[in-house]
Amino acid sequence: MAFSDLREFITMLEKSGDLVRIKKEVDWDMEVGAISRRVFEQAGPALLFEKIKDYPPGYAILNGPVATWRRVALALGLPPNSSVRQIYAAYEERRDKKIKPVVVKAAPCQENVMTGSEVDIYRLPAPMVHDGDGGRYVGTWDIVITKDPETGWINWGMYRFMTHTQNLLTGWPQATSQLAMMMKSRYLPLNRPMPIAIVAGCESLCHMVATDPFKPGENEVEYAGGLRGAPVDLVQCKTQDLMVPAHAEIVMEGEVLPDKIAHEGPFGEYPGYRSGTMSEGVLVQLTAITHRTNPILTLSTLGVPPDDSSIAASLTAAIAMKRGLQRRGVPVREVYVPPEGVTHLIVVSVERGGSRVARQVLDFFTARRVMVSKVIVVDKDLDPFDMNQVIHAFATKCHPAKGITVEHYEGRANALTPCFSADERRRLKGASVVFDATWPEDWEEESIPVKSSFETTYRDAVKEKVLANWESYGLGGKS
Amino acid sequence: MKREYVTFVRRLSDLSEGKRALFIKDLTPGPRKYDTKLVRAELSRDAARLPDGDTLWIRSETGRLQPQPWSMKVLEELPPYVPGQPWQDVFTSLRHLG
């Protein structure tokens, strides 16, 4: 069953014990961020701040809608105690389905409208998230919508946006992002502004789809419909030729300017650091702000994992990577993106390993824009979701000289990777490494070391006997 | 009464005294805190040299705060942007403004 909007999801989270309403007045200036960060680091509930200093009663901020696997499961309509593998499977099964959106004439997201000189971003409680950020971030858990004027492709992405003045925002979609590609290829050559809508407070699967790296040309809104099992209602923007989710809480309409720039950043980003990307972004002239009555601004107080990015985006990234590896002919079984690795560390399980396959995997991850810096390739005899097993395989099977392959590149690195120097980040210069934790393909079977575990060492008859007698050994219930 | 502002620089050592264009964020409490202006201003490490100046806090591109603020006298407020294409370095454009 699809949630019709964020409010319905909030109600469900509250019922399941996965959301706390904070009724005490809190300051948008770092207090909301500090509370949210601490709760993230305790893997705590989503937080709905209902009384924000300087803002009217009813204006609220929601932090962390999908920052735990429980909440991701609930967003997908699964039992909250579903395993990570089950959540991955459900997402993968639904990911290829498309349902076209439905266009509506009237929409909750346009209950209140500011246009022209009325546009004032400071009428929304954009938080100062971390001490030391470059400003107040109104776009942290958002959907950013842009349109290719030649093909009609509507791109949904998730990018950070900061208040600049009352009617200007600055933002930092990476220079290698799909938004950047569209701006550079379609609008900049003509010196034209690019229409943009920055949307906050949608039903959670819509936001998750915005984190999913679908190929250019794919309309994410149709995949959001497929994931939800119901179409997304869209409404025409008030001032831009764009469609936005009708049930969103807040829509900021505007234009990315082709010939003006301004200060942006820094920001405590998803890798868990404020790594210094600053003042190399875009400037947006706001043309309208529309919102529901008593709007709820969605927030993800990004930082060290877990948070919405490390949890939900690891799911969407993993499935997209698996599909990409399959298309390249890699004998991939499963891909796991451990939240602790903040999409920098990937585990790829393969049917058969060896250096050739490891190289194929590295080639896939470094072919275009490179968001991943470390990949561990493992054999199918272990569970890639179990990091104990992954670390054991890495420690014992990855040859310290022959098992490591590095690829260097420039112009397409992840500018947020903290271990890259400031100069490297600016030049988008970096490197990725694959750790081959599989047995070499040319080793004869009789020479491959035998894993000494209960499962692999003993004959079935012995294992069955031990399991049957487990309780009688005085070792508790069957395990 | 002195107002307080903050500005960001790539490196703390990038900032020099004298007249220059810079983005500043207003630290006056209230719903418009952190509103940004582009100004041409005179800067000094020594508050005594700009007795009618405001307080300017300085942060690096990783957001680290320089412990001692500078003094700043705003000479002119400019439109809150500089010429340039998206993803270009704002500081390079600022230098061209002088």
Side-chain angles (χ1 to χ4, degrees):
Chain A
M1 181 207 77
F3 296 100
S4 63
D5 61 9
L6 180 66
R7 296 178 188 205
E8 209 172 277
F9 185 57
I10 286 172
T11 301
M12 196 276 307
L13 287 181
E14 193 173 20
K15 278 187 192 160
S16 67
D18 290 276
L19 179 137
V20 169
R21 290 179 187 268
I22 295 182
K23 298 185 182 300
K24 179 181 169 65
E25 181 178 277
V26 291
D27 197 332
W28 56 265
D29 190 6
M30 288 187 271
E31 186 180 7
V32 165
I35 297 167
S36 300
R37 189 95 281 285
R38 188 152 193 265
V39 169
F40 271 160
E41 290 167 21
Q42 296 169 343
L47 302 176
L48 185 64
F49 296 97
E50 295 188 317
K51 195 172 181 189
I52 313 293
K53 184 183 173 190
D54 296 327
Y55 288 90
Y59 280 49
I61 297 174
L62 173 69
N63 182 72
V66 285
T68 61
W69 289 118
R70 275 181 62 86
R71 302 205 285 275
V72 173
L74 290 164
L76 285 162
L78 302 173
N81 57 354
S82 299
S83 69
V84 176
R85 179 177 265 118
Q86 287 169 328
I87 294 169
Y88 268 50
Y91 190 87
E92 184 174 10
E93 189 265 329
R94 293 188 214 169
R95 187 180 184 265
D96 291 337
K97 294 177 183 164
K98 291 187 189 181
I99 296 178
K100 286 195 180 298
V102 170
V103 176
V104 298
K105 287 210 160 80
C109 71
Q110 295 176 342
E111 286 170 348
N112 301 272
V113 177
M114 296 178 236
T115 57
S117 60
E118 293 176 328
V119 171
D120 184 358
I121 196 67
Y122 299 123
R123 286 168 63 183
L124 297 175
M128 183 67 175
V129 181
H130 316 93
D131 191 12
D133 283 351
R136 300 167 63 174
Y137 274 83
V138 71
T140 57
W141 193 248
D142 56 16
I143 301 170
V144 179
I145 302 173
T146 51
K147 182 178 179 180
D148 185 322
E150 291 186 20
T151 66
W153 168 40
I154 307 290
N155 183 43
W156 282 17
M158 184 177 283
Y159 311 108
R160 76 188 196 202
F161 278 90
M162 183 184 103
T163 65
H164 185 64
T165 67
Q166 77 167 52
N167 58 10
L168 290 169
L169 302 180
T170 51
W172 191 69
Q174 291 217 29
T176 55
S177 65
Q178 292 185 358
L179 183 150
M181 186 180 71
M182 191 183 285
M183 183 75 192
K184 290 174 183 176
S185 65
R186 304 298 198 212
Y187 293 91
L188 280 184
L190 303 173
N191 199 35
R192 282 176 52 192
M194 178 169 73
I196 187 170
I198 301 158
V199 182
C202 289
E203 183 271 326
S204 287
L205 293 182
C206 290
H207 286 277
M208 285 171 58
V209 162
T211 73
D212 193 321
F214 286 98
K215 287 185 295 186
E218 296 287 348
N219 290 330
E220 280 89 352
V221 66
E222 297 178 12
Y223 290 101
L227 265 185
R228 299 174 73 243
V232 177
D233 288 347
L234 295 180
V235 70
Q236 173 68 46
C237 278
K238 290 291 184 186
T239 58
Q240 298 295 335
D241 181 21
L242 292 169
M243 294 278 188
V244 291
H247 295 274
E249 293 288 331
I250 297 165
V251 179
M252 291 157 271
E253 302 177 12
E255 294 173 331
V256 180
L257 301 179
D259 55 357
K260 298 179 180 70
I261 50 178
H263 169 80
E264 193 279 338
F267 181 62
E269 268 281 3
Y270 76 90
Y273 297 87
R274 197 164 51 229
S275 53
T277 47
M278 183 180 79
S279 285
E280 292 177 345
V282 301
L283 179 65
V284 172
Q285 174 73 62
L286 291 172
T287 53
I289 298 174
T290 72
H291 65 82
R292 293 182 71 158
T293 299
N294 294 331
I296 303 168
L297 178 65
T298 37
L299 164 69
S300 187
T301 303
L302 295 178
V304 295
D307 54 32
D308 302 273
S309 174
S310 59
I311 296 287
S314 84
L315 164 66
T316 56
I319 305 306
M321 289 167 186
K322 182 179 175 184
R323 293 289 163 80
L325 288 163
Q326 286 170 333
R327 281 197 300 273
R328 282 210 157 216
V330 175
V332 58
R333 284 172 62 89
E334 292 181 295
V335 174
Y336 177 52
V337 179
E340 300 83 355
V342 290
T343 62
H344 280 56
L345 172 68
I346 313 297
V347 181
V348 176
S349 152
V350 293
E351 287 288 343
R352 58 185 182 287
S355 58
R356 190 183 56 82
V357 169
R359 180 74 233 186
Q360 272 186 296
V361 170
L362 184 61
D363 288 346
F364 165 74
F365 281 107
T366 56
R368 287 182 287 274
R369 62 186 297 225
V370 192
M371 305 304 285
V372 168
S373 54
K374 298 167 189 76
V375 186
I376 303 175
V377 180
V378 297
D379 280 319
K380 62 182 178 184
D381 67 337
L382 66 76
D383 177 359
F385 290 85
D386 181 346
M387 288 307 288
N388 290 331
Q389 293 186 44
V390 172
I391 290 170
H392 177 253
F394 168 65
T396 56
K397 293 168 72 173
C398 179
H399 192 288
K402 293 183 279 189
I404 297 171
T405 308
V406 179
E407 179 76 19
H408 297 266
Y409 39 80
E410 186 163 352
R412 60 185 197 277
N414 183 351
L416 288 176
T417 298
C419 64
F420 296 159
S421 70
D423 179 59
E424 285 176 318
R425 288 198 296 272
R426 199 155 296 125
R427 294 161 60 189
L428 302 181
K429 183 180 179 185
S432 296
V433 58
V434 64
F435 300 102
D436 179 9
T438 67
W439 297 125
E441 55 197 342
D442 58 348
W443 282 15
E444 291 179 3
E445 190 167 352
E446 64 181 345
S447 68
I448 293 176
V450 177
K451 192 192 283 185
S452 293
S453 72
F454 176 78
E455 272 305 319
T456 56
T457 299
Y458 303 98
R459 283 171 290 158
D460 287 348
V462 173
K463 287 191 286 189
E464 285 163 13
K465 179 183 176 187
V466 166
L467 289 176
N469 292 326
W470 195 254
E471 203 166 351
S472 67
Y473 299 143
L475 294 171
K478 288 181 182 174
S479 62
Chain B
M1 183 170 166
K2 282 183 188 296
R3 297 175 74 101
E4 295 199 19
Y5 297 90
V6 64
T7 194
F8 285 76
V9 292
R10 286 246 179 266
R11 296 284 175 277
L12 296 174
S13 57
D14 288 348
L15 203 59
S16 55
E17 295 181 295
K19 293 176 184 172
R20 62 186 51 258
L22 74 164
F23 284 103
I24 56 172
K25 290 174 183 294
D26 190 341
L27 297 181
T28 305
R32 293 180 182 277
K33 187 177 177 185
Y34 303 111
D35 187 53
T36 310
K37 293 178 169 62
L38 177 61
V39 297
R40 202 179 305 279
E42 184 167 2
L43 308 183
S44 174
R45 285 186 178 83
D46 181 2
R49 286 175 55 193
L50 290 174
D52 54 348
D54 293 316
T55 299
L56 180 67
W57 295 95
I58 302 162
R59 287 187 184 271
S60 72
E61 74 174 335
T62 55
R64 291 180 192 277
L65 183 68
Q66 182 166 286
Q68 292 302 316
W70 287 25
S71 192
M72 171 185 71
K73 184 172 182 185
V74 174
L75 305 172
E76 180 186 11
E77 188 171 332
L78 306 167
Y81 42 75
V82 290
Q85 287 199 338
W87 297 283
Q88 283 183 352
D89 178 24
V90 168
F91 292 100
T92 303
S93 291
L94 269 177
R95 278 195 293 276
H96 293 148
L97 278 185

